[in-house]
């Protein structure tokens, strides 16, 4: 079944857009892409079932990518909300206060009792609270409340595994690259599914990840900016390339296909 799909979000829309160019001949779906810079993603709102820009900068990107100043949600079968500012690193920024992993010898895997300043249950709720209050979650809920369109959330890519070769003073990035990376990435994933709904969250396939906490570096090399005219610098560990975007879109299509066949 061919579907009309609108892909909207921040700069991470680029990977899906360029990935679609590589696989579109294998699918009958019709995809529309609308990406705004990360600094402008909060300038999007939903009113009466229409996604609208609230600033001139966001409006410029709407006109450039979609040819209009608004997106009528009911014109589509599916809306994919991509990234929208919610990341593993932002959700975990509270670890320094509640779970000071930096004080722990990472060679000791069972040393959790040394830094459990709050219970596991409370810490999980703190992470879930960050997700619940995020702009991404609020925008997703506006879409589902104001339209019958099926809405899915495509997660922001996890940092590139090149992180292990880079020197970073950021304690959260060091945590992700270290021994505790898999456990905190799993906590973040569980929080997303708990808050947004397991049926609404799209993660990249497991084989595209390293230790479940980072994206394999082959999917970050050669990533293009949203305009497609320049590559991201080598120091950019967050944006992914067309190969990654194609993998994520296949995950989306598989999810949608399963939902259709189950009806």
């Amino acid at each position: 079944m061919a579907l009309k799909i609108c892909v909207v979000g921040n700069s991470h829309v680029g990977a899906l857009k360029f990935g679609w160019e590589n696989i579109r001949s294998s699918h009958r779906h019709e995809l529309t892409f609308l990406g705004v810079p990360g600094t402008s993603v909060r300038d999007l709102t939903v009113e009466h079932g229409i996604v609208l820009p609230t600033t001139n900068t966001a409006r410029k990107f709407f006109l450039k990518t979609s040819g209009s100043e608004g997106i009528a949600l009911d014109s589509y079968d599916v809306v994919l909300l991509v990234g929208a500012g919610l990341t593993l690193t932002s959700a975990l920024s509270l670890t320094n206060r509640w779970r000071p992993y930096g004080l722990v010898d990472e060679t000791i895997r069972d040393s959790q009792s040394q830094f459990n300043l709050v219970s596991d249950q409370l810490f999980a709720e703190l992470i879930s609270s960050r997700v619940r209050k995020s702009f991404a979650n609020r925008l997703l809920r506006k879409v589902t409340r104001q339209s019958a369109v099926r809405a899915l959330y495509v997660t922001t890519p996890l940092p590139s595994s090149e992180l292990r070769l880079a020197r970073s003073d950021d304690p959260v990035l060091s945590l992700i690259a270290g021994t505790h990376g898999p456990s905190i990435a799993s906590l973040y994933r569980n929080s997303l599914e708990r808050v947004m709904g397991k049926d609404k969250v799209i993660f990249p396939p497991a084989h595209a990840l390293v230790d479940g906490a980072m994206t394999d570096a082959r999917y970050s090399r050669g990533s293009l900016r949203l305009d497609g005219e320049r590559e991201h610098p080598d120091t950019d560990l967050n944006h992914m390339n067309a190969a990654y975007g194609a993998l994520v879109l296949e995950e989306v299509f598989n999810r949608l296909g399963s939902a259709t066949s189950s009806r």
Side-chain angles (χ1 to χ4, degrees):
M1 177 180 176
L3 299 171
K4 290 188 66 176
I5 302 173
C6 181
V7 184
V8 59
N10 58 8
S11 57
H12 296 292
V13 165
L16 276 67
K17 179 182 179 182
F18 304 129
W20 174 238
E21 294 173 0
N22 294 342
I23 64 173
R24 65 186 307 166
S25 60
S26 302
H27 297 278
R28 295 167 53 210
H29 304 306
E30 179 183 336
L31 272 65
T32 299
F33 296 88
L34 176 59
V36 298
T39 54
S40 298
V41 72
R42 288 180 175 270
D43 298 332
L44 303 182
T45 190
V46 184
E47 296 181 4
H48 307 295
I50 302 175
V51 181
L52 296 167
T54 60
T55 65
N56 288 333
T57 299
R59 190 172 294 108
K60 179 183 71 173
F61 277 90
F62 261 63
L63 291 170
K64 182 177 181 180
T65 57
S66 70
S68 66
E69 293 190 8
I71 298 173
L73 296 173
D74 288 338
S75 298
Y76 297 91
D77 301 302
V78 181
V79 169
L80 302 182
L81 177 60
V82 180
L86 179 56
T87 68
L88 172 62
T89 51
S90 63
L92 287 168
S93 61
L94 46 74
T95 55
N96 278 346
R97 179 174 182 181
W98 299 109
R99 292 281 176 92
Y101 289 87
L103 301 180
V104 179
D105 181 356
E106 286 211 335
T107 63
I108 306 174
R109 288 183 176 270
D110 61 353
S111 59
Q112 190 169 350
S113 60
Q114 299 180 34
F115 55 84
N116 273 6
L117 302 185
V118 298
S119 68
D120 289 350
Q121 184 176 359
L122 178 54
F123 188 61
E125 177 53 37
L126 290 170
I127 299 296
S128 293
S129 180
R130 294 296 294 266
V131 174
R132 192 175 297 112
K133 294 180 179 180
S134 67
F135 175 77
N137 183 54
R138 288 186 280 116
L139 188 61
L140 183 68
R141 290 188 177 279
K142 284 184 178 180
V143 169
T144 56
R145 282 198 303 264
Q146 297 187 31
S147 172
V149 68
R150 182 172 184 191
L152 300 176
Y153 176 68
V154 176
T155 58
T156 300
L158 295 172
S160 168
S161 59
E162 295 278 13
L163 179 62
R164 286 182 171 165
L165 302 177
R167 293 183 178 181
S168 175
D169 296 327
D170 187 321
V172 175
L173 290 179
S174 297
L175 172 62
I176 293 169
T179 304
H180 296 286
S183 62
I184 57 99
S186 177
L187 172 63
Y188 176 62
R189 178 179 181 130
N190 292 341
S191 296
L192 285 171
E193 292 184 334
R194 175 184 176 189
V195 173
M196 295 183 175
K198 192 171 184 178
D199 61 327
K200 287 186 171 62
V201 184
I202 302 292
F203 300 99
H207 65 78
L209 304 179
V210 174
D211 292 339
M214 295 169 287
T215 305
D216 191 306
R218 58 183 165 158
Y219 295 113
S220 63
R221 295 170 187 148
S223 66
L224 295 175
R225 296 182 184 274
L226 190 58
D227 59 14
E229 298 175 359
R230 295 171 295 161
E231 289 189 2
H232 290 105
D234 293 339
T235 54
D236 189 318
L237 302 177
N238 299 308
H239 288 89
M240 301 300 143
N241 58 28
Y244 176 91
L247 285 178
V248 171
L249 283 176
E250 293 290 3
E251 291 291 301
V252 171
F253 299 153
N254 288 339
R255 175 77 62 85
L256 295 174
S258 298
T260 301
S261 62
S262 66
R263 291 175 184 173

